Amino acid sequence: MLVNLFETAVVQTMGRPAQTCVTAEFCGKALAIEHDSEVYACDYYVYPAVSLGNIRTTHLGEMAFSPQQQRFGYAKRDSLPEYCGQCRHLKLCWEKCPKNRSVCSPDGQAGLNYYLCSGIKRFHDHAGPALRQLARQYA
């Protein structure tokens, strides 16, 4: 049995893309379709501001690959505080979900994850040697 958090950490340590949206560089691959057929940019963001349209009137592929959806996806990386860009764990974290980036970094820049940053650093500091060993084993 594999645990998603550990499995994707090993995969990312191997230099491969994340298996989950929260640890990926970009987001926007987990569209949500609500009961009223409205399509949203992400299953964490079911808000009118990120509605892509209605599946009854617009083809899902058109919405999934729309410029609006591309901007949404790239914004995850492009809105990171400089503090994250200097972190040695950035490529394993990508500051998780932008929805939870509501506090300031130590240097005062907005956009840090309100509950995970310090814990993720501690996790990767501690688990790093084991992750690298597993990555070599499965490479």
Side-chain angles (χ1 to χ4, degrees):
M1 185 163 109
L2 298 172
V3 176
N4 199 334
L5 170 72
F6 300 112
E7 183 179 358
T8 200
V10 171
V11 168
Q12 285 178 273
T13 299
M14 295 170 75
R16 295 185 180 156
Q19 296 175 311
T20 61
C21 65
V22 294
T23 57
E25 181 175 4
F26 309 105
C27 58
K29 296 180 182 177
L31 301 176
I33 302 174
E34 283 292 292
H35 66 283
D36 62 356
S37 303
E38 206 59 25
V39 178
Y40 296 89
C42 171
D43 57 350
Y44 290 120
Y45 281 93
V46 182
Y47 303 120
V50 291
S51 171
L52 298 172
N54 193 293
I55 199 164
R56 291 181 183 153
T57 58
T58 308
H59 190 275
L60 184 60
E62 186 179 329
M63 291 183 276
F65 296 101
S66 69
Q68 177 185 352
Q69 183 66 357
Q70 289 176 19
R71 283 190 302 276
F72 177 85
Y74 287 125
K76 179 179 183 189
R77 179 200 59 199
D78 297 344
S79 65
L80 286 171
E82 291 176 25
Y83 177 78
C84 294
Q86 299 167 6
C87 180
R88 68 181 176 276
H89 303 301
L90 174 63
K91 294 191 178 193
L92 302 170
C93 167
W94 291 106
E95 194 44 10
K96 301 296 184 180
C97 182
K99 183 177 181 182
N100 299 324
R101 295 180 187 170
S102 61
V103 297
C104 291
S105 63
D107 60 2
Q109 191 176 10
L112 199 63
N113 189 299
Y114 70 86
Y115 68 101
L116 284 178
C117 183
S118 62
I120 291 295
K121 283 182 178 182
R122 288 182 68 195
F123 168 77
H124 284 291
D125 285 341
H126 176 75
L131 294 172
R132 288 187 291 278
Q133 182 180 359
L134 286 167
R136 285 190 299 273
Q137 181 179 340
Y138 293 113

